[in-house]
């Protein structure tokens, strides 16, 4: 028996239980937040995997603080992404949104969720983000 592909497993975990009522028969919108020294386009394959598994899903790839600007102070990024994600959430306030944050994008997304009022986030997925902090020798970062 062949193991299921990561796309299928991920899609089922993310979107399998977030189908809207019969009136809409669509999936909740997904917001993708990129990581450090990256751009929104770096996660285009993730967007494509979501659309392949769940056609018609609205996928937002927030193109802010890209490349070297992703090294700007975290709270500056949280405020910027927060405004953009709040606007998306307001558009979909009845159904809510799902957020996927990759690497530093997971930390930024968590900051947005914890600091922006009236967001309607149904599911937050932190993908390869150090939510528990950094383990090991960090002297090389100084």
């Amino acid at each position: 028996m062949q193991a299921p592909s990561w796309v299928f497993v991920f899609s089922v975990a993310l979107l399998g239980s977030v189908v809207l009522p019969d009136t809409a028969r669509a999936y909740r919108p997904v917001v993708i937040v990129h990581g450090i020294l990256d751009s929104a386009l770096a996660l285009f394959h993730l967007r494509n995997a979501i659309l392949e598994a769940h056609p018609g899903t609205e996928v937002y790839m927030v193109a802010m603080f890209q490349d070297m600007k992703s090294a700007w102070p975290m709270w500056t990024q949280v405020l910027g992404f927060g405004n953009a994600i709040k606007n998306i959430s307001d558009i979909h306030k009845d159904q809510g949104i799902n957020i996927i944050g990759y690497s530093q994008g997971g930390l930024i997304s968590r900051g947005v969720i914890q600091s922006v009022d009236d967001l309607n986030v149904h599911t937050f997925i932190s993908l390869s983000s150090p939510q528990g902090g950094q383990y090991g020798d960090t002297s090389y970062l100084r």
Side-chain angles (χ1 to χ4, degrees), residues 59-127:
V59 180
Y60 295 89
M61 301 181 70
V62 184
M64 300 179 76
F65 301 101
Q66 300 186 96
D67 304 314
M68 291 304 292
K69 290 181 182 177
S70 67
W72 286 13
M74 290 284 285
W75 276 114
T76 301
Q77 295 183 61
V78 167
L79 294 173
F81 276 103
N83 288 332
I85 293 172
K86 174 71 169 129
N87 290 336
I88 296 167
S89 176
D90 286 349
I91 292 168
H92 304 284
K93 68 174 64 172
D94 291 339
Q95 65 198 71
I97 59 174
N98 298 321
I99 299 177
I100 302 172
Y102 174 70
S103 189
Q104 179 176 289
L107 298 175
I108 291 168
S109 298
R110 181 178 173 187
V112 168
I113 292 167
Q114 290 182 301
S115 65
V116 176
D117 292 332
D118 299 322
L119 281 181
N120 187 356
V121 177
H122 183 271
T123 303
F124 167 51
I125 296 177
S126 178
L127 207 63

